Amino acid sequence: MKTKLRVTPLSEQLKKGTLFVGLGGLFVIVVQLMDLDVESFVQRFGNLPEVLMRFAAFDTTLIPTILSQTLLSICLAFSALVLGAVIAYFLAILAAENLTPSPILSMLIKACASMIRAVPALAWILMVVASVGFGNIGGVLGLVFPTVGYLTKSYAAAFEEDGDEKIEALKSTGARWINIVFQAVTVDCMPKLISWTAIHFENNVASGISLGMVGVSGVGYLLNKAMMKFDYPAMTTILVVIFLVMFTFECGSQMLKKRLKRV
């Protein structure tokens, strides 16, 4: 007679079952609190094929304008990325526990970065635009704040993952702190820094698209106008162009990371 053995202990199965039941109950409570109109949703769901058919059309006459405005949005995102990355790099050096000259300074910088990340990017953009006015300068400055908050944490984590043993070994040989930071730790962490920077560049472009809703020029402004007019062919064309541009940048960043790993 064959004896069946449990792969997972009964206690673990009970914990998982309780967790799933608890999450399911929490989901039901959240849905009730939001007071969702499920009946209306189901009725309008039948309009989905018609909407998809409208999105299937393209307006190729807009492609030159879309490309020029997309380039402008990329320039805004890239300018904010460069400014934010430079600031975040030096803040991350002071925030990393294995590099900081003071643990208190590290805690303060990480706390400030957390506070910046807690505020949505669109809120920063709106605050800056309200302060300096509409225009590309306000858009760039509005994107710098979330860039600094995001990259400071990411860069600091990359520096801390590099390990304390190598830093201690370099210190024992008489290497200066500035040489350890710029010639050892930064060089070793460069692929990670580029990876985090490339990821946030995509976030900046996505946030830059929302700049059109607050009056900043770029492809987001075109998309906002198309949405207000329910111009489905224009929206589809804009979204396809954005996707192709971002896919090209993703491929480029992957190739750059591979080359850096070979060096």
Side-chain angles (χ1 to χ4, degrees):
M1 185 177 180
K2 294 182 180 180
T3 304
K4 293 184 179 181
L5 298 176
R6 289 183 179 274
V7 178
T8 305
L10 181 60
S11 59
E12 290 294 327
Q13 292 181 351
L14 290 175
K15 288 180 181 179
K16 291 180 180 179
T18 304
L19 178 62
F20 285 126
V21 171
L23 290 175
L26 181 62
F27 175 76
V28 173
I29 294 173
V30 169
V31 170
Q32 292 293 328
L33 290 175
M34 289 190 296
D35 193 21
L36 297 178
D37 190 355
V38 180
E39 183 179 355
S40 177
F41 172 77
V42 173
Q43 291 176 354
R44 294 182 180 181
F45 193 77
N47 299 330
L48 183 61
E50 181 183 353
V51 174
L52 292 178
M53 288 298 295
R54 292 182 181 179
F55 272 111
F58 290 88
D59 189 352
T60 55
T61 60
L62 293 174
I63 290 180
T65 305
I66 295 171
L67 288 175
S68 63
Q69 294 299 312
T70 301
L71 179 61
L72 178 58
S73 294
I74 291 173
C75 291
L76 290 172
F78 184 74
S79 300
L81 181 73
V82 172
L83 293 174
V86 171
I87 298 171
Y89 172 74
F90 290 102
L91 290 177
I93 292 173
L94 300 176
E97 295 179 359
N98 53 351
L99 295 176
T100 183
S102 171
I104 297 177
L105 180 62
S106 173
M107 292 177 59
L108 289 175
I109 294 175
K110 289 182 177 179
C112 291
S114 298
M115 291 175 61
I116 293 174
R117 292 195 310 275
V119 179
L122 185 59
W124 284 114
I125 294 168
L126 290 172
M127 285 189 286
V128 172
V129 167
S131 301
V132 302
F134 295 99
N136 295 337
I137 294 178
V140 171
L141 293 178
L143 290 174
V144 165
F145 284 97
T147 300
V148 171
Y150 180 89
L151 291 183
T152 298
K153 177 187 177 183
S154 304
Y155 289 173
F159 292 148
E160 291 172 352
E161 290 175 2
D162 199 47
D164 298 333
E165 295 80 5
K166 180 171 61 179
I167 296 175
E168 293 298 329
L170 290 171
K171 287 181 179 179
S172 64
T173 61
R176 295 185 300 171
W177 180 82
I178 192 169
N179 293 332
I180 294 174
V181 172
F182 293 104
Q183 298 180 7
V185 176
T186 300
V187 174
D188 288 345
C189 294
M190 189 58 66
K192 294 181 180 179
L193 301 184
I194 292 176
S195 178
W196 284 117
T197 306
I199 291 173
H200 194 69
F201 178 66
E202 297 176 9
N203 295 337
N204 269 12
V205 174
S207 299
I209 293 173
S210 64
L211 290 174
M213 300 179 183
V214 292
V216 180
S217 57
V219 70
Y221 182 70
L222 292 179
L223 182 60
N224 189 44
K225 287 203 305 182
M227 291 171 60
M228 296 297 292
K229 295 178 180 179
F230 292 95
D231 190 347
Y232 291 97
M235 285 190 281
T236 301
T237 308
I238 293 171
L239 293 175
V240 169
V241 171
I242 292 172
F243 168 76
L244 292 176
V245 170
M246 295 310 302
F247 181 74
T248 302
F249 275 102
E250 175 67 20
C251 293
S253 65
Q254 292 295 330
M255 292 174 60
L256 181 59
K257 285 190 293 182
K258 289 180 180 179
R259 289 196 175 189
L260 286 173
K261 288 180 180 179
R262 294 173 185 172
V263 176

